[in-house]
Amino acid sequence: MIRDPTLFILVPLGVLAFVLGFWGFSLQQPWWGRAEGWAIAFGHVFRTLDLVRAGGGFAPNVQLPLPLELARIALPLCALLIAFRAALLGLRRDARTALLRRARDHVVVTGPGGQARQAALRLAAGPHRVVLLEPGVPEPEALALERAGVLTLGLDSSADESLVQAGVVRAAHLVALSDDEATNVEVALKARRLREAAPRHGVLTVTAGVGGGPLYRRLQADPMLRLSGPGARLRLLDRRAAGLRALFRQPSVQAALARPGSARNLLAVVGLGETGLAAAATLARYNVAPPGLGSRIIGFDRDATCAVPLQAIGAASEAETLLRPVAIGAPAALDDAAQAVLREGVPVLVVVALAEDDLALAAALDLRRALDMAGHAAPVAVQLRRAAALGDLLAAERPGGLLPFGQDDVLFAPETFLPDALDDAAEAMHAAYLRGGPSGPAAVPWDALPEWYRLGSRDAADFLPIALASEGFALSRRSLGAPHGSLPSPPALERMAALDHRRWLALHRQRGWEAGPQRDVAARRHESLLPWDALPPPLQARGAAEMRDRLNHLLQTGWALHYAAEDARSSLPRAYGPA
């Protein structure tokens, strides 16, 4: 099997030398036109092959035809070089594979198909060595991956021995990206078990790719299911959710959602598939309007059945949700959709989540033009899957006005798979929660925290910059030796705690929880599932104290707060040192 581009040169040269040898023997003893010609021709074939070992049975001092003289030199030389090159490649691959058993702090990527390879290539650009476990990779592609810094092992990742051979016991990260989410979770759990048997090597971060299917919903919705253990920290990665999360991290989106006012924020979602409904649910939670005023979310879709899940989103929060049937599929219809959005009012954010990239981009451009003509600067976010480069080019023409999300170059970025800043913030916020001495299934360290609670912490971490921005503050990573800033004033902390409680309340209601006399995880009841104003004063005070402790802990663990805007709602002092 050809393993290297060098062999693409040597093998044709060997074939040419073989042809020259056969031609030379034929000139020496012609076989055409003779009764026993075929027997003579077969004899020439075998004598030519014998040239590989410098044979041929030549009599001494006999003048040979020129093609045969050339073949006597070229054929054994080509055979020698081919054998040497193939052996060298095999030895190098075997040596690197053997060294993996002693390698440390590398990244193991598993899964067949383009997703795993694309992720491995992006990760190889970072500081870690990358190993790809994928059977059946063509040898030229395996060599190209190796030259890019990715060692490919043609092994089945579901076998324990394969994971051991990839060095997962000493790896820093494992990324499972098979198309089958059950296989990814299986690989992740096996890696966790192997790592727990070797605790001296630290904690392995495992990211299991899922597609948002029934298994993922079951795993992330079970408050008692612990996927992580002492030796491994496991994350479930839903690509759709990762794209939305990247969108809501963008400063222009956070600024749009953080604008307080006396009326409902108007938000438009064009296309109510899985991504559109997930965006609507997130927008319903991330609300900074005064108490009693939820967001007003208008969904545009030709499918009338979308009204039911959209209404459920509104019922779980203070949001008002409406469905406007718009058939998007022609230029006139796109223009009608843009005008229909403006007829509802002035949106603070528009999200376009259509199934086809060309329609999504056309709708986003029409909406952007209509908003510009009306003098509105609301950002337009558009989900793109394959036309990412075109979306980026168009977005560069209007920074902050057109926001592509969901592109492969973002979803396959290293920060998608490896622990990133917002996960660090979620972990720090959970650590601050533990300092209050809570009880229940969430009162465990982050490494042992069930995935259901981790998702809640990540949602809180994503909303925190929006809540801070509503009070004029910004949160960022702090460089070594830089000041960490000061906390917001007590009234501002209380307002932020009320906003975060409203987010927490909407999240639990969206997950099917109800208010009850006491916490019951199995029945999904919680005593705090009440509006902020209906909470007893001690619980309100505890919420404000938890918000203060979260920010304090972030300031003490490498984060900084800075005051970014004047607060028009309060004349009280804003800055207080860490408690």
Side-chain angles (χ1 to χ4, degrees):
M1 183 178 291
I2 296 177
R3 301 170 63 92
D4 184 80
T6 306
L7 301 184
F8 282 98
I9 300 174
L10 293 177
V11 170
L13 286 178
V15 173
L16 178 61
F18 178 86
V19 172
L20 288 174
F22 181 80
W23 181 22
F25 282 117
S26 299
L27 292 176
Q28 191 180 46
Q29 183 183 7
W31 54 271
W32 52 87
R34 303 177 62 173
E36 67 277 12
W38 286 110
I40 297 173
F42 276 115
H44 292 344
V45 170
F46 288 111
R47 292 181 70 189
T48 304
L49 291 174
D50 196 41
L51 292 177
V52 172
R53 60 181 185 87
F58 301 108
N61 303 321
V62 175
Q63 182 69 30
L64 299 177
L66 179 61
L68 190 54
E69 288 283 6
L70 294 176
R72 288 182 66 186
I73 300 171
L75 198 57
L77 182 60
C78 285
L80 181 63
L81 290 176
I82 289 173
F84 176 76
R85 184 62 179 172
L88 182 63
L89 285 174
L91 287 173
R92 186 172 65 177
R93 180 69 59 84
D94 293 342
R96 292 192 63 185
T97 302
L99 287 175
L100 276 176
R101 293 181 177 270
R102 307 300 301 174
R104 294 178 180 274
D105 298 331
H106 57 287
V107 181
V108 180
V109 182
T110 71
Q115 290 189 9
R117 295 181 203 174
Q118 191 171 354
L121 287 171
R122 294 295 302 274
L123 292 168
H128 299 284
R129 180 186 301 177
V130 179
V131 179
L132 174 63
L133 272 180
E134 179 182 352
V137 179
E139 291 297 337
E141 294 186 25
L143 184 64
L145 288 168
E146 185 174 346
R147 288 179 170 174
V150 179
L151 176 61
T152 303
L153 300 181
L155 303 174
D156 182 9
S157 58
S158 62
D160 288 3
E161 179 58 31
S162 300
L163 295 173
V164 171
Q165 189 167 341
V168 75
V169 174
R170 295 176 178 82
H173 310 283
L174 170 70
V175 179
L177 285 179
S178 168
D179 293 334
D180 181 31
E181 59 185 25
T183 300
N184 293 333
V185 175
E186 177 188 358
V187 170
L189 294 177
K190 286 185 175 180
R192 187 193 75 177
R193 187 183 69 247
L194 291 171
R195 195 53 173 265
E196 287 174 350
R200 65 183 182 278
H201 297 299
V203 177
L204 173 71
T205 300
V206 183
T207 301
V210 293
L215 177 61
Y216 168 70
R217 291 193 290 270
R218 178 68 182 88
L219 293 175
Q220 63 91 19
D222 191 339
M224 302 302 294
L225 185 62
R226 285 184 172 87
L227 296 177
S228 298
R233 178 183 300 177
L234 193 149
R235 288 196 316 166
L236 298 177
L237 173 66
D238 179 4
R239 291 189 63 201
R240 172 183 51 79
L244 277 176
R245 194 176 182 204
L247 170 65
F248 287 108
R249 291 177 182 179
Q250 298 197 34
S252 57
V253 174
Q254 293 178 349
L257 296 178
R259 293 175 186 143
S262 58
R264 295 179 183 271
N265 279 341
L266 177 62
L267 304 140
V269 180
V270 180
L272 294 176
E274 286 189 4
T275 301
L277 289 172
T282 305
L283 292 170
R285 297 195 303 272
Y286 293 178
N287 175 31
V288 299
L293 287 178
S295 300
R296 188 166 185 253
I297 302 175
I298 312 296
F300 296 87
D301 199 294
R302 60 185 175 184
D303 186 359
T305 61
C306 296
V308 175
L310 191 62
Q311 289 173 358
I313 291 171
S317 61
E318 296 177 345
E320 176 190 352
T321 56
L322 298 172
L323 176 65
R324 295 288 185 258
V326 175
I328 300 174
L334 292 174
D335 187 65
D336 291 343
Q339 297 304 318
V341 170
L342 290 179
R343 282 196 295 271
E344 299 293 341
V346 181
V348 298
L349 176 67
V350 180
V351 178
V352 181
L354 299 174
E356 300 178 15
D357 282 1
D358 54 348
L359 286 179
L361 196 52
L365 291 173
D366 276 3
L367 287 163
R368 179 72 275 153
R369 185 180 68 252
L371 288 169
D372 288 342
M373 292 179 62
H376 304 313
V380 178
V382 53
Q383 181 188 30
L384 298 176
R385 297 172 177 86
R386 293 172 297 276
L390 177 59
D392 291 339
L393 287 173
L394 294 173
E397 299 295 325
R398 176 65 188 275
L402 190 65
L403 305 175
F405 72 96
Q407 314 99 305
D408 282 348
D409 61 336
V410 173
L411 298 182
F412 288 113
E415 56 267 22
T416 302
F417 306 109
L418 307 184
D420 59 7
L422 279 175
D423 273 346
D424 291 344
E427 184 174 354
M429 292 168 64
H430 181 70
Y433 167 76
L434 293 179
R435 290 169 65 179
S439 60
V444 294
W446 181 264
D447 290 345
L449 192 65
E451 184 69 13
W452 191 88
Y453 291 104
R454 288 193 188 192
L455 290 172
S457 295
R458 291 179 189 128
D459 194 67
D462 290 351
F463 179 67
L464 184 60
I466 299 173
L468 283 167
S470 71
E471 295 294 334
F473 285 85
L475 182 70
S476 62
R477 274 293 191 182
R478 172 165 49 93
S479 58
L480 186 63
H484 52 57
S486 302
L487 292 179
S489 65
L493 286 172
E494 185 174 351
R495 289 194 294 269
M496 289 174 56
L499 294 177
D500 188 66
H501 177 78
R502 182 161 54 183
R503 175 206 61 80
W504 176 87
L505 179 63
L507 178 64
H508 278 69
R509 285 177 173 173
Q510 288 173 3
R511 291 173 167 178
W513 283 62
E514 300 176 350
Q518 60 184 7
R519 185 180 309 178
D520 187 338
V521 176
R524 300 200 175 194
R525 292 188 176 88
H526 199 291
E527 70 276 9
S528 298
L529 281 173
L530 300 169
W532 177 261
D533 292 340
L535 287 177
L539 289 181
Q540 291 184 354
R542 189 177 73 181
E546 286 182 359
M547 179 61 68
R548 183 193 65 235
D549 290 344
R550 286 180 187 177
L551 295 176
N552 257 330
H553 193 78
L554 287 171
L555 297 185
Q556 295 166 9
T557 53
W559 295 82
L561 276 175
H562 63 273
Y563 185 50
E566 292 294 329
D567 180 13
R569 294 183 298 170
S570 173
S571 59
L572 296 174
R574 300 298 302 267
Y576 286 77

